[in-house]
Amino acid sequence: FMIFLRFAITVMILTLLPYAGYAAKLQLTVGADSAILINADTGTVLFEKNPDKIQYPASITKIGTCLFALKSLSNRLDDSVTAENDAIVTITKEAKKKSGYSVPGWWLEENSSNIGIKRDEEMKLDDLLYGMMVASGNDAANVVAHYVGGTIQAFLDELNGYIKNIGCKNTHFQNPHGLHHPKHVSTARDMALMAQEAMKYPHFKEIVATVRFTRPKTNKQAPTVLVQTNKLLRKGKFFYPKSIGIKTGYTSDAENTLVAAAVHDGRTLIAVLMKEKQRDDLFKDAKKLFEAAYSQPKLEKVLIKGGQQKQKIRLHGGSKPLIAFVQKDICLQFYPAEEPNLKCLLHLDEQLKAPLKKGERIGEIRLMDESEQMIQSFVVHSYEDIPATWAHRLKEALFSK
């Protein structure tokens, strides 16, 4: 375990470091009013357009609902859930607006997207998640929320607290499904964060990549085939082989919204598009973003040249300065739109002192990201023998007795 030493410089900036990347974000245009493209593993932003502008999310809301349901009950997906009346209450959009949106925000609207759940119908929790994410069932979202939270309002309170904890600063959900409410809002950046967190759940990835799902027979209905709303996943004009889900959305106020994920050569990207006028343009723009990123070549830069380093380090008890030796070049591989800002710091081993032999380990170089997290480390050795001074040898001899 490495610590700072009082008697030596223990964090040295080597050669041209700290290394500062100058990532050039992708240069292209999209029709959506807000958009963002991120790396799902690192969170690096490759493209953005009004990413923090407040928007109505519509049914991409269901990403948050599904994420929180899996976080809460991922080990209980076979639970049988009974649809309560509060989860399937339906009124007209006009009646909602006339009330000044004083009625519960989760009440369903006539003719809105649903999977036809009936009062007292029994379904497995997992089937409800598929109904919500594949066919965008607003009724399924309500039933899930009611079961997970005990009441839909309790679920929303917990969900809103949770998404703030994961970094969503400008999101507030008034319902689990995304039907319009003037206070039901999010941003492209927040939706990307939610999707990034959700994609850490393997079952979420399975659900949102499903093209067709057969809802099993229930106590109220025969089996039903549910079809994916995301055209990137379906054979046809907008099919995109690299696509792995996630969710579409639409209301007249939100216009068209989409969160999409794709993977190529092990690199997973998440695109968010909000307030797109034409639905087909969602899929065109998502493909444009993904292809712009995937067409970039991987580059490599040498951060520290292998061999003897220039800096001389004062070593406790040493008769001459310590020189670090790196066995081979320390390199960084990256895509142009994702070039990171890094610090390269040399940490000397605890209680390092003379004498030292040539080639003996003296510490490690750590590559640190902007949040001070170590992303990689490399062992560093002594370039040459470092004899102890006669005074240090005498002191060691006296105190060792």
Side-chain angles (χ1 to χ4, degrees):
F1 189 74
M2 313 300 178
I3 63 172
F4 294 151
L5 303 176
R6 294 180 180 175
F7 49 82
I9 300 172
T10 59
V11 179
M12 292 275 311
I13 298 176
L14 302 179
T15 60
L16 300 177
L17 305 175
Y19 167 74
Y22 297 95
K25 289 186 172 64
L26 297 172
Q27 301 298 309
L28 65 161
T29 59
V30 295
D33 190 44
S34 294
I36 197 168
L37 180 71
I38 70 166
N39 183 303
D41 296 316
T42 66
T44 302
V45 177
L46 289 75
F47 172 87
E48 57 186 8
K49 175 185 178 182
N50 301 325
D52 299 308
K53 185 175 180 178
I54 301 298
Q55 303 281 10
Y56 299 127
S59 280
I60 58 176
T61 297
K62 296 180 175 86
I63 295 168
T65 299
C66 189
L67 165 61
F68 191 65
L70 289 173
K71 178 185 178 296
S72 304
L73 297 177
S74 60
N75 60 338
R76 293 173 52 185
L77 297 178
D78 287 332
D79 281 11
S80 179
V81 180
T82 301
E84 304 286 345
N85 189 62
D86 191 41
I88 56 172
V89 173
T90 302
I91 63 172
T92 64
K93 182 177 180 179
E94 292 70 25
K96 268 190 182 180
K97 190 179 292 187
K98 190 174 181 180
S99 75
Y101 294 94
S102 61
V103 299
W106 57 85
W107 280 9
L108 304 174
E109 294 175 9
E110 290 181 356
N111 302 316
S112 68
S113 179
N114 65 83
I115 60 170
I117 297 174
K118 303 180 184 303
R119 182 176 178 177
D120 296 327
E121 185 168 5
E122 298 171 6
M123 295 178 63
K124 288 199 307 183
L125 177 59
D126 200 29
D127 295 337
L128 288 163
L129 294 179
Y130 276 93
M132 174 175 71
M133 299 304 290
V134 175
S136 201
N138 296 327
D139 48 359
N142 272 353
V143 176
V144 167
H146 193 282
Y147 185 71
V148 173
T151 67
I152 297 176
Q153 186 59 61
F155 176 87
L156 291 168
D157 292 341
E158 292 177 9
L159 171 60
N160 282 315
Y162 171 69
I163 58 179
K164 279 184 172 53
N165 286 339
I166 65 171
C168 299
K169 298 178 180 178
N170 299 297
T171 297
H172 182 80
F173 289 153
Q174 291 287 127
N175 59 60
H177 40 65
L179 286 172
H180 182 69
H181 187 288
K183 295 181 179 178
H184 185 98
V185 295
S186 189
T187 65
R189 191 185 308 277
D190 283 0
M191 291 308 311
L193 282 172
M194 261 181 269
Q196 182 184 14
E197 188 65 26
M199 292 293 279
K200 294 177 184 177
Y201 289 81
H203 194 55
F204 179 89
K205 294 171 75 171
E206 290 176 12
I207 293 171
V208 299
T210 300
V211 178
R212 288 176 176 270
F213 176 73
T214 300
R215 184 184 68 169
K217 178 182 177 181
T218 71
N219 60 323
K220 297 282 186 176
Q221 297 188 67
T224 308
V225 175
L226 306 178
V227 180
Q228 173 64 241
T229 61
N230 183 355
K231 293 181 181 180
L232 296 175
L233 291 172
R234 289 164 29 196
K235 296 291 184 183
K237 182 179 179 182
F238 299 107
F239 176 66
Y240 185 57
K242 299 176 181 125
S243 176
I244 53 172
I246 300 179
K247 187 75 190 73
T248 62
Y250 173 80
T251 67
S252 58
D253 296 278
E255 299 184 9
N256 293 284
T257 63
L258 173 69
V259 179
V263 64
H264 178 64
D265 288 342
R267 181 180 175 215
T268 302
L269 302 178
I270 294 171
V272 182
L273 297 153
M274 301 184 78
K275 201 170 185 181
E276 182 101 52
K277 293 189 179 300
Q278 301 299 321
R279 188 169 182 82
D280 286 354
D281 287 343
L282 283 176
F283 310 113
K284 293 177 184 177
D285 282 348
K287 290 168 72 172
K288 185 192 295 186
L289 287 170
F290 289 137
E291 283 305 291
Y294 289 138
S295 66
Q296 289 191 321
K298 187 177 254 189
L299 305 179
E300 182 172 272
K301 278 189 178 179
V302 177
L303 304 184
I304 298 176
K305 290 287 292 181
Q308 176 185 356
Q309 303 301 303
K310 295 180 180 180
Q311 288 76 9
K312 295 181 179 180
I313 305 166
R314 179 172 169 266
L315 179 65
H316 180 61
S319 61
K320 59 181 178 179
L322 172 65
I323 297 174
F325 179 81
V326 178
Q327 287 188 332
K328 60 182 180 179
D329 292 352
I330 295 177
C331 301
L332 174 69
Q333 291 188 332
F334 60 92
Y335 295 96
E338 298 185 60
E339 185 175 4
N341 293 315
L342 297 176
K343 292 179 182 178
C344 296
L345 304 177
L346 170 61
H347 286 247
L348 299 182
D349 287 346
E350 182 181 0
Q351 298 179 353
L352 186 67
K353 60 185 179 181
L356 284 177
K357 294 290 186 183
K358 179 180 179 179
E360 188 172 338
R361 175 195 162 108
I362 61 171
E364 65 182 15
I365 290 173
R366 298 177 182 175
L367 300 190
M368 312 293 288
D369 65 16
E370 291 177 287
S371 61
E372 301 299 320
Q373 295 294 311
M374 184 172 71
I375 60 174
Q376 202 169 357
S377 65
F378 304 86
V379 173
V380 180
H381 303 88
S382 175
Y383 174 67
E384 58 189 349
D385 291 343
I386 307 292
T389 63
W390 68 267
H392 181 70
R393 292 198 303 271
L394 178 60
K395 182 180 177 181
E396 290 285 302
L398 290 173
F399 282 97
S400 65
K401 294 181 179 179

